[in-house]
Amino acid sequence: MEILLAIIGALGAIGAAAVAALIPLITRRTRGAVQAEGAVTREAMTEAVTALGSRLDSRIDDVRDDIDDVRESVTHVREWQAGHDAEHLLIGRPDPRGE
């Protein structure tokens, strides 16, 4: 019985030593894997942010073009209105807007 207890104790000590030796090895491998995956994630995020920035710049350019079109239309309407007002002044009729 004492021999069995000694063997169990020795196996326990060897197991504890093995676990103690494996923990740093496992931690190092895990840390390396996490760092590698972190680098891949950072690269993917950088690409995604760059793509989003490009899409946003494109959309901003589209909105600016739309604003320029509206300004051009407003300018055209104002020119027409000025001509229309001038016609009313020339023919002596009152302005239909009451001005």
Side-chain angles (χ1 to χ4, degrees):
M1 184 62 125
E2 292 176 10
I3 295 176
L4 184 60
L5 289 176
I7 291 174
I8 291 173
L11 289 176
I14 291 171
V19 168
L22 287 176
I23 288 176
L25 182 62
I26 292 171
T27 303
R28 200 171 316 133
R29 285 186 182 169
T30 304
R31 187 178 306 134
V34 168
Q35 288 173 346
E37 185 157 334
V40 170
T41 302
R42 280 189 296 278
E43 184 177 335
M45 290 300 292
T46 300
E47 291 173 5
V49 168
T50 301
L52 180 62
S54 296
R55 288 176 42 205
L56 184 59
D57 286 342
S58 175
R59 184 65 185 126
I60 288 171
D61 290 342
D62 291 345
V63 169
R64 285 182 179 155
D65 290 343
D66 291 345
I67 290 171
D68 289 343
D69 291 345
V70 168
R71 284 181 178 156
E72 188 176 320
S73 295
V74 168
T75 301
H76 178 72
V77 168
R78 286 181 178 167
E79 289 170 353
W80 177 87
Q81 186 65 48
H84 182 75
D85 290 347
E87 288 174 350
H88 280 272
L89 288 173
L90 290 173
I91 60 175
R93 290 189 183 167
D95 188 344
R97 293 178 294 156
E99 295 177 6

